[in-house]
Amino acid sequence: RAMMENTDDFIYFKDRNHVLTGASQSLARITIGDRHWSELIGQTDYDIFPEAYADLYYTLEKQVFSGKNIARDIQAFRRPDGSTGWVDNRKYPIHDADGQIIGLFGVARDITEKIASENALRQQRETLQLILDYAPIGIWLQDGRGKLIFVNKAFCTATGISEATFLSVPHYAELIPEAF
């Protein structure tokens, strides 16, 4: 009970009919506000989420009920402020004594900040790539063994050698004579 009321993860238990039989307070906060998680019992995702989100979650659950040991996906969810967040959603089967699947449990971890950081890093890399590619001077980067790991467009134009060719050889000396 302490875990369900204090975890930041969205934890839930469902029966074979996709009906909630237990949930964490954090799941309650994003679905029914400040009310207690026990009020989610008896509800389905279609009762507590917008239909488009419920459809995504239901699709993942069908994988579990068809026999998959774990169903996992990065999925969107609506945050309490109305913005879109992202969860790493994992669902696992619950078996009875005879090995029959009688329900599932899931843990959805909020990874919104991680996704935002990855997007910001990707944007920075793309910007840096544009700057390097369109710099009016040749720029290259090599590892400690002489293998080129980056060449910009100006360098390729000056040498007349394509980026793919530069990056494919073990040492730049195979392509560029010492007198160059």
Side-chain angles (χ1 to χ4, degrees), residues 6-137:
N6 294 294
T7 184
D8 290 335
D9 291 335
F10 309 132
I11 299 174
Y12 46 89
F13 298 87
K14 295 182 179 183
D15 66 17
R16 189 79 171 107
N17 297 312
H18 307 269
V19 175
L20 286 160
T21 59
S24 63
Q25 190 60 41
S26 58
L27 182 62
R29 269 192 296 281
I30 66 164
T31 56
I32 59 173
D34 290 331
R35 300 190 336 243
H36 193 262
W37 64 266
S38 61
E39 293 184 44
L40 289 173
I41 294 174
Q43 303 290 312
T44 70
D45 287 347
Y46 289 96
D47 298 320
I48 59 176
F49 291 110
E51 186 175 357
Y53 291 130
D55 286 344
L56 292 172
Y57 308 150
Y58 181 76
T59 298
L60 205 56
E61 289 175 12
K62 288 192 316 185
Q63 293 177 28
V64 171
F65 288 124
S66 70
K68 198 168 185 182
N69 286 329
I70 178 174
R72 180 181 183 197
D73 196 14
I74 304 301
Q75 297 177 313
F77 77 99
R78 181 174 291 159
R79 300 171 84 186
D81 66 3
S83 65
T84 299
W86 297 94
V87 291
D88 181 351
N89 199 359
R90 301 171 189 210
K91 300 176 187 245
Y92 307 87
I94 298 173
H95 298 92
D96 66 11
D98 296 324
Q100 299 298 312
I101 298 173
I102 58 169
L104 65 79
F105 72 95
V107 179
R109 177 156 292 158
D110 186 343
I111 58 168
T112 305
E113 287 183 24
K114 178 183 178 220
I115 296 290
S117 294
E118 288 171 354
N119 288 340
L121 182 57
R122 184 174 36 259
Q123 182 62 46
Q124 287 176 344
R125 285 182 180 154
E126 289 171 3
T127 300
L128 180 58
Q129 186 69 46
L130 285 172
I131 291 168
L132 292 171
D133 275 346
Y134 290 98
I137 60 171

